[in-house]
Amino acid sequence: MKVEDFDMFSTMLKQRSGLVLSRDKAYLLESRLMPVARKWNMKGLDELAVAIRTRREEALLRDITEAMTTNESSFFRDQKPFDQFRDVVLPMMLAKRAARRSIRIWSAACSSGQEGYSLAIMLLEQGAKLDGWRFEIVGTDLSSEMVEKAKAGIYTQFEVQRGLPITQLVKYFKQVGDKWQINDKIRQMVTFREYNLLTDLTPLGQFDVVFCRNVLIYFDQPTKGKVLESIAKLMPTDGVLYLGGAETVLGITERFKPMDNQRGLYVVNQPAGAQAPRAAVG
Amino acid sequence: MKSCLVVDDSRVVRKVARKILEELHFACSEAEDGRQAMEACAREMPHAILLDWNMPVMTGIEFLRRLRKMSGGDAPKVVFCTTENDLAHIQEALSAGANEYIMKPFDSDIIQTKFAQVGLI
């Protein structure tokens, strides 16, 4: 691939999705964009590059961005964060929201929806102790294709075997041909919408718990900081943020700090002086 | 080191499964059908059994029902690994005492997560 073509693709991807593509990842462009080129009746990436320069057609740019952003997900991915949710975060939130009895959870960059559905399953498994509580789980992703897939809740045999115990497959899914669809009760607990993390997030509303796992790793430092600051604005002072195993807030933003003894969990940092009693207005 | 008995009439499947399980630090032994598996369990109960369904001589489900009636036969964690991929078979396996269920084709990720879910890893 020509250097100027690589630079053009990577600049475009950075602007649209925050994705940072280093030169050694050029092979990813080849493998992921060939299907896009074929879909648009082009012979290869050279022709694709020409089309971007000359037409800048939104639908084409969108296809390229969606093809390049990683869409890996699985049910109960990494397991531990979900155990922490059940054992630490949920009990804490139940105590803090006892008056309101409602909790909002955001699965940011949700891909095909498994994280949100895993949380819904986990909540249902809690049984009667959550009676009278309202849980709203919102999943967002930059890719319209992923959002559609998440909404449909239909997964391949491979996907339902990654992380999902067989008893839960039997309990919460129905077989549709050679695929598996999550049942209506679970689907109604999660809403999905297309949303870009680099845009203004305030229309999404406030979230008590935010899952933003394995997203920041694709961004450069300033973009990580910007996204974390916009997430902080959506969270109450007692909110909890989840990051992926290879991610941290340290050295990136002061808006969050690690939760004591809970790896991967972060709490909102109170600005200095915010907790101090206000000086009397005199 | 935990032990795993791999029961499948296909030599290729046994070889693939064995390789994956050995990477997960299991000591593996093999059986070609349910009867061979019964004999192996009578000698020594393994910690885990990866079990095919359709096999000559004795099927996996028949083996499982007999295993669970044997002395000490409730101990091994049994993970089905079969091309039978419909709800009815899965439910039959669970009610016969299977701990997990893998629908073929499988890969090392699936074996690893399923074994982790039943507490073997």
Side-chain angles (χ1 to χ4, degrees):
Chain A
M1 181 184 303
K2 293 192 214 104
V3 174
E4 59 267 33
D5 284 357
F6 177 86
D7 290 346
M8 186 212 48
F9 280 120
S10 66
T11 307
M12 178 207 128
L13 288 163
K14 168 89 198 307
Q15 280 166 358
R16 293 182 65 97
S17 69
L19 177 74
V20 176
L21 204 64
S22 52
R23 287 258 158 85
D24 59 323
K25 297 277 165 56
Y27 69 92
L28 267 181
L29 285 176
E30 307 267 356
S31 62
R32 295 201 178 178
L33 295 188
M34 273 313 288
V36 178
R38 276 196 291 273
K39 179 183 161 190
W40 286 75
N41 292 316
M42 297 172 193
K43 283 196 199 71
L45 266 57
D46 293 348
E47 212 179 322
L48 198 59
V50 172
I52 297 172
R53 286 203 182 86
T54 53
R55 308 216 299 261
R56 293 211 73 82
E57 198 173 329
E58 177 58 26
L60 176 61
L61 299 182
R62 170 185 287 264
D63 276 2
I64 291 169
T65 311
E66 292 196 3
M68 287 309 298
T69 41
T70 308
N71 289 310
E72 197 185 303
S73 185
S74 61
F75 289 98
F76 298 100
R77 185 175 181 183
D78 304 330
Q79 191 56 47
K80 180 94 195 293
F82 294 92
D83 295 343
Q84 287 171 310
F85 180 77
R86 182 193 56 214
D87 301 334
V88 179
V89 179
L90 185 61
M92 187 182 95
M93 280 295 158
L94 292 180
K96 288 182 173 180
R97 300 287 179 270
R100 202 173 79 194
R101 292 174 88 79
S102 85
I103 292 170
R104 280 192 98 219
I105 303 167
W106 180 22
S107 170
C110 66
S111 190
S112 36
Q114 287 95 324
E115 186 172 67
Y117 287 137
S118 299
L119 289 166
I121 289 173
M122 185 159 262
L123 290 171
L124 266 194
E125 300 259 304
Q126 299 301 307
K129 81 175 187 198
L130 298 184
D131 283 356
W133 282 80
R134 207 170 69 86
F135 286 89
E136 193 184 345
I137 304 169
V138 179
T140 65
D141 201 274
L142 148 100
S143 159
S144 58
E145 193 186 330
M146 283 299 125
V147 168
E148 286 314 308
K149 187 173 175 205
K151 280 181 184 168
I154 298 173
Y155 299 95
T156 65
Q157 187 169 295
F158 253 100
E159 287 170 319
V160 295
Q161 299 205 83
R162 292 183 187 279
L164 195 68
I166 196 70
T167 46
Q168 295 187 353
L169 179 74
V170 170
K171 204 164 159 189
Y172 299 116
F173 286 74
K174 63 185 175 198
Q175 209 162 10
V176 184
D178 59 348
K179 299 205 170 161
W180 296 82
Q181 183 169 36
I182 202 153
N183 73 26
D184 292 344
K185 189 170 182 188
I186 303 280
R187 276 170 70 202
Q188 281 159 10
M189 292 172 71
V190 191
T191 54
F192 293 99
R193 56 190 287 199
E194 199 181 325
Y195 217 97
N196 188 331
L197 288 177
L198 303 188
T199 61
D200 176 21
L201 301 177
T202 45
L204 291 170
Q206 291 270 302
F207 293 101
D208 303 297
V209 185
V210 175
F211 287 76
C212 185
R213 301 193 297 141
N214 308 307
V215 182
L216 299 179
I217 41 173
Y218 299 103
F219 299 158
D220 61 14
Q221 291 290 102
T223 311
K224 285 178 195 184
K226 182 176 174 280
V227 170
L228 284 171
E229 311 240 324
S230 350
I231 291 174
K233 287 184 194 148
L234 307 187
M235 295 175 67
T237 51
D238 57 2
V240 176
L241 169 71
Y242 274 80
L243 295 181
E247 297 164 330
T248 182
V249 301
L250 300 173
I252 298 169
T253 178
E254 301 284 315
R255 300 296 296 270
F256 292 99
K257 61 179 179 191
M259 188 189 271
D260 290 341
N261 304 319
Q262 297 298 330
R263 201 181 149 81
L265 271 58
Y266 299 83
V267 291
V268 178
N269 220 354
Q270 309 284 348
Q275 285 167 312
R278 276 181 204 191
V281 179
Chain B
M1 190 181 245
K2 284 183 177 165
S3 56
C4 183
L5 177 64
V6 179
V7 191
D8 202 300
D9 58 336
S10 156
R11 200 172 59 84
V12 175
V13 171
R14 290 200 306 273
K15 199 175 159 190
V16 172
R18 181 181 198 125
K19 188 166 177 292
I20 292 170
L21 287 161
E22 284 176 348
E23 275 166 15
L24 298 170
H25 307 294
F26 281 87
C28 291
S29 51
E30 299 178 20
E32 291 174 27
D33 57 55
R35 186 187 290 166
Q36 281 188 16
M38 287 294 294
E39 288 162 8
C41 289
R43 282 193 301 272
E44 190 181 2
M45 282 295 171
H47 294 100
I49 301 172
L50 190 73
L51 183 62
D52 188 18
W53 192 298
N54 295 304
M55 290 176 290
V57 188
M58 190 193 291
T59 63
I61 193 79
E62 201 182 332
F63 159 75
L64 176 58
R65 292 205 176 96
R66 292 187 187 201
L67 170 77
R68 292 308 193 205
K69 286 181 194 145
M70 281 170 77
S71 154
D74 53 349
K77 302 281 187 192
V78 175
V79 179
F80 256 107
C81 185
T82 167
T83 50
E84 302 294 348
N85 62 357
D86 58 288
L87 210 49
H89 275 89
I90 297 171
Q91 277 163 334
E92 189 182 352
L94 290 175
S95 60
N99 299 90
E100 257 300 339
Y101 196 103
I102 293 170
M103 296 173 270
K104 288 176 182 169
F106 60 93
D107 62 6
S108 63
D109 258 17
I110 290 176
I111 291 204
Q112 188 171 357
T113 56
K114 294 284 185 187
F115 272 53
Q117 274 157 6
V118 295
L120 284 163
I121 298 175

